[in-house]
Amino acid sequence: MLPGAVYFGGESSVWGGGMAFYAPEPPTGWPRTAAARGYLLTAGQFADLVAQEMHRAADGDLDLTPVLRHGRDMLGSGRYETLVRAGDLDGHPILTCTAPGDPAAAELRAPSARYVGMIAAGLYRTFDWSVGHIHEYLAALPGIDAVWDRGELTAVIEDMHQSGCR
């Protein structure tokens, strides 16, 4: 669990609906912890991942000095073009990419059912949470909280669980 919140905004060309972003300093009223799963990557692998998320050509060269030193580095104004250091684990920096700007000013947008199901499966695999716990967590996320019907959200999570998407 990381300090901060996950929220949904923009439009995903892959999943449809809102995309997940990380807010290291969430606005008042938002959740204060973000469920996360980390992978130990080389600097080059992380650079490739960030390039893919930014829809740029991967050239394998990304100066991580600013984000490592200051905790944040804006590479551009588009989606996933802000690098954030969310902490450290076992002597390794926890890095991610997210949207630039103030999350409180973001235009929230509900994610698609397929995207929610994929996230729910990840929560189940990573944390072994029950359907109820996954529902409680997801229902509180900005972009889902005021938009998704409680029954529809439960159905998507239960479908993921019953399909063996573990």
Side-chain angles (χ1 to χ4, degrees), residues 73-90:
D73 185 21
M74 291 185 65
L75 304 175
S77 61
R79 64 184 199 168
Y80 301 117
E81 292 193 18
T82 298
L83 304 182
V84 173
R85 184 177 190 167
D88 293 276
L89 181 63
D90 297 333

Side-chain angles (χ1 to χ4, degrees), residues 12 14-15 19-21 46-56 78-81 96-98 115:
S12 172
V14 174
W15 298 99
M19 299 173 286
F21 295 107
F46 183 69
D48 286 348
L49 175 72
V50 170
Q52 290 172 38
E53 290 298 331
M54 294 187 308
H55 294 264
R56 294 183 184 177
R79 64 184 199 168
Y80 301 117
E81 292 193 18
T96 190
C97 54
T98 191
Y115 193 32

Side-chain angles (χ1 to χ4, degrees), residues 2 12 20 30 42 49 51 55 60 77 90 101 105 108 116 122 124 129 142 146 151 154 161:
L2 298 176
S12 172
W30 283 22
T42 66
L49 175 72
H55 294 264
S77 61
D90 297 333
L108 300 178
V116 169
Y124 181 80
W129 286 352
T154 298
H161 193 265

